Amino acid sequence: GVGADNIYLRISANGYLYFGWGRDGSGINECSLGGVLGTNYWWGVYIGHKGQRYSSANATSDNLADAFDIYLMRINDAGTAWEIKIGTKTDGSGNRSIESNWTQTGYRMDRATLGQLSIGGRGSNRSFHGKVAAFMTTTLKTDESMPTTTEVETMITDPMKWLQDYKVGNSYRQCNSGSNTNNFQIGNTNSSWSTQVWLMGDGSNDNYSNMIRNRVNPSDQNYTKLNLISMVSNDIETVNINGLT
């Protein structure tokens, strides 16, 4: 709300998707991620943040464009495979975080990160009217390149394969650390604090009474469980998404 910073995705009344960072009442930096999203498709959105925390003077469109990698994915028109939807970037990578897409800039993003993570709503208002099939968040390692588009595609289309291929057994950064730690493992507390994968009912421990469990540590019910706020049991629905494992 007013007086609090928010880092968010939102869909406008006319169906445009935006990513933003800022404070209601003071101003926000916002990136337009494309035109109207067709509601007959499932979409995947990836946002990678390189860690820059700009003052208002430095929150320019070129600096903000460099601070994020943003990709959209959906199944192709033939219905055979998921693919990154190419944006306007000249190198053809499809990265939506380019200067011309940062339509609002100039507001500080250097305050401490506190508060809560909400999926599908914010507090008691501004709810998303749609379905969310999965959500994941992870730390990035220090002094290493950003994830490749191949990794991004795996994160969106098969999060469990991504865990096995890119996380398990590898070094990672704990969420409260500025250095890397060895040996990410499923079932490990520190690993689960650094990475959350919620598959919205597909986990063996997922149900309305158990809530949605983090697939990195499904037995954890204290720290990384996704709570269902203002929801009822039949809000967990069976869906079929072409092209996903």
Side-chain angles (χ1 to χ4, degrees):
V2 174
D5 288 354
N6 291 279
I7 305 170
Y8 61 87
L9 279 174
R10 74 174 179 91
I11 294 179
S12 66
N14 60 1
Y16 283 67
L17 181 65
Y18 294 87
F19 167 72
W21 184 323
R23 174 168 291 194
D24 285 1
S26 300
I28 56 176
N29 305 303
E30 200 163 67
C31 182
S32 174
L33 304 189
V36 176
L37 301 188
T39 56
N40 55 327
Y41 293 102
W42 284 90
W43 293 85
V45 185
Y46 166 89
I47 299 169
H49 178 221
K50 301 175 185 177
Q52 296 95 322
R53 304 297 299 276
Y54 292 123
S55 66
S56 56
N58 290 324
T60 60
S61 58
D62 57 335
N63 281 342
L64 290 166
D66 184 61
F68 297 92
D69 285 344
I70 304 176
Y71 298 98
L72 293 182
M73 289 190 75
R74 70 165 172 82
I75 199 165
N76 59 21
D77 291 327
T80 57
W82 275 63
E83 59 187 22
I84 287 178
K85 303 307 293 181
I86 300 300
T88 57
K89 195 169 184 179
T90 55
D91 66 6
S93 73
N95 191 343
R96 302 300 175 109
S97 184
I98 58 174
E99 288 187 48
S100 59
N101 285 348
W102 282 93
T103 55
Q104 295 187 66
T105 61
Y107 299 99
R108 64 182 294 189
M109 48 186 286
D110 55 358
R111 298 182 180 93
T113 301
L114 304 168
Q116 299 175 328
L117 171 69
S118 299
I119 302 171
R122 194 192 73 179
S124 60
N125 62 357
R126 304 194 182 187
S127 294
F128 169 62
H129 299 280
K131 295 179 174 66
V132 180
F135 182 95
M136 60 177 298
T137 180
T138 189
T139 58
L140 296 175
K141 290 192 284 187
T142 58
D143 299 323
E144 293 203 10
S145 299
M146 292 292 283
T148 64
T149 54
T150 299
E151 181 175 353
V152 169
E153 291 172 1
T154 307
M155 292 171 78
I156 291 175
T157 60
D158 195 342
M160 297 305 294
K161 177 177 172 56
W162 172 79
L163 281 176
Q164 292 299 323
D165 290 356
Y166 291 92
K167 302 298 284 189
V168 172
N170 295 322
S171 61
Y172 68 101
R173 183 175 60 82
Q174 296 185 33
C175 57
N176 60 348
S177 176
S179 59
N180 300 328
T181 299
N182 290 328
N183 199 20
F184 184 103
Q185 288 295 320
I186 301 298
N188 175 267
T189 297
N190 286 328
S191 298
S192 70
W193 287 356
S194 76
T195 301
Q196 288 89 55
V197 176
W198 296 300
L199 299 186
M200 309 308 180
D202 281 349
S204 58
N205 291 8
D206 290 356
N207 56 52
Y208 184 68
S209 58
N210 283 340
M211 307 295 171
I212 306 300
R213 300 299 181 88
N214 178 11
R215 296 301 299 271
V216 178
N217 191 4
S219 63
D220 172 31
Q221 56 182 327
N222 296 314
Y223 301 106
T224 63
K225 175 184 69 177
L226 181 65
N227 293 309
L228 305 177
I229 307 298
S230 300
M231 298 179 69
V232 296
S233 58
N234 61 5
D235 284 331
I236 300 177
E237 301 180 14
T238 299
V239 299
N240 295 298
I241 306 176
N242 289 341
L244 296 194
T245 300

